[in-house]
């Protein structure tokens, strides 16, 4: 039971807390890439592209930090090229574009956005259905007393419009079904998201063993 509770908590945190980050990072990255590429011909857009790549890298680092808890195994952070010690201010400013992983980071923010939104909505709906349904016996009688409320549900459609008790029982059973299916639904949504992130943000590090990569361990992540 403790393992199941921890799994539900981990998946819920991963699915729900990342939505605000996606809602902020997606328009910024899209706008930054569009404006940066449009002005790259005159080099004015290159600093904007570098700043956008830096933002996408930080979003990718936050995603990689969450992956071990969801996937259950360590993940590798690809090596990002550092600016040479002799580099000037312009070279250092443009350094976020020097690594090939920068393209994957940018693409991940864009491609993963609809997946993040859909997975977060599914998680929110299932949690809302679970909590509202299981608590329905506490407030359902008040709703049943509202004229026309019972008729809008399935019991009313089946001809039980005069039975507040059946109305309450029906919605409570729905909440129970949401509660029973909550863990597998959250698990499936989290794995879809995490698999895409693993493919785009960590696979290059594993594909080239000779490249130095920072390994994020699940135990370390849990402690943090």
């Amino acid at each position: 039971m403790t393992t199941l509770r921890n799994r539900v908590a981990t998946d819920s945190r991963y699915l729900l807390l990342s939505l605000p980050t996606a809602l902020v990072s997606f328009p910024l990255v899209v706008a930054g890439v569009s404006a940066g590429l449009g002005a790259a011909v005159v080099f004015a857009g290159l600093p904007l592209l570098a700043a956008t790549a830096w933002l996408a890298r930080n979003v990718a680092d936050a995603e990689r930090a969450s992956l071990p808890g969801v996937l259950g195994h360590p993940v590798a952070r690809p090596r990002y090229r550092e600016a040479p010690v002799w580099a000037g201010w312009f070279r250092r400013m443009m350094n976020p574009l020097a690594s090939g992983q920068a393209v994957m980071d940018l693409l991940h923010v864009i491609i993963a956005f609809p997946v993040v939104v859909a997975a977060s909505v599914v998680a929110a709906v299932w949690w809302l259905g679970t909590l509202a349904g299981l608590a329905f016996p506490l407030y359902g009688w008040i709703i049943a007393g509202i004229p026309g409320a019972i008729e809008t549900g399935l019991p009313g459609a089946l001809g039980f419009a005069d039975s507040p008790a059946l109305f309450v029982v029906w919605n409570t059973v729905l909440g129970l079904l949401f509660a029973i299916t909550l863990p597998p639904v959250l698990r499936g949504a989290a794995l879809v998201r995490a698999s895409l992130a693993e493919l785009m943000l960590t696979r290059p590090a594993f594909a080239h063993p000779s490249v130095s990569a920072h390994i994020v361990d699940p135990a370390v992540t849990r402690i943090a």
Side-chain angles (χ1 to χ4, degrees):
M1 183 60 68
T2 301
T3 302
L4 179 61
R5 184 167 60 247
N6 290 340
R7 171 52 55 200
V8 169
T10 299
D11 291 342
S12 300
R13 183 169 58 249
Y14 177 66
L15 292 171
L16 297 175
L17 296 185
S18 58
L19 181 59
T21 301
L23 293 176
V24 173
S25 61
F26 175 76
L28 291 177
V29 167
V30 171
V33 171
S34 301
L37 290 177
V41 178
V42 293
F43 298 100
L46 294 181
L48 181 57
L49 282 175
T52 306
W54 175 84
L55 172 63
R57 180 187 301 186
N58 281 272
V59 174
D61 282 336
E63 183 75 17
R64 279 186 288 260
S66 302
L67 288 181
V70 177
L71 297 174
H73 60 76
V75 298
R77 181 182 189 269
R79 180 183 177 183
Y80 292 91
R81 185 177 302 174
E82 299 181 359
V85 294
W86 47 261
W89 65 270
F90 185 79
R91 172 65 177 83
R92 294 183 181 277
M93 180 178 62
M94 301 303 299
N95 188 65
L97 294 175
S99 300
Q101 181 62 30
V103 176
M104 298 301 292
D105 293 345
L106 291 167
L107 288 176
H108 176 262
V109 173
I110 298 172
I111 295 175
F113 178 72
V115 179
V116 172
V117 173
S120 299
V121 169
V122 168
V125 168
W126 247 259
W127 265 115
L128 181 61
T130 297
L131 297 177
L134 295 182
F136 203 79
L138 300 178
Y139 63 89
W141 305 98
I142 301 176
I143 298 179
I146 300 175
I150 298 181
E151 287 81 355
T152 59
L154 182 60
L158 295 177
F160 297 98
D162 58 344
S163 178
L166 183 59
F167 175 74
V168 173
V169 170
W170 168 254
N171 285 279
T172 303
V173 170
L174 285 180
L176 183 60
L177 291 177
F178 271 107
I180 293 174
T181 57
L182 180 66
V185 168
L186 292 178
R187 183 93 283 253
L191 286 178
V192 170
R193 265 205 58 198
S195 298
L196 177 61
E198 184 181 25
L199 177 65
M200 300 189 70
L201 303 180
T202 71
R203 288 302 174 88
F206 287 115
H208 302 283
S210 61
V211 177
S212 174
H214 173 65
I215 305 297
V216 182
D217 187 85
V220 175
T221 305
R222 286 196 296 270
I223 294 175

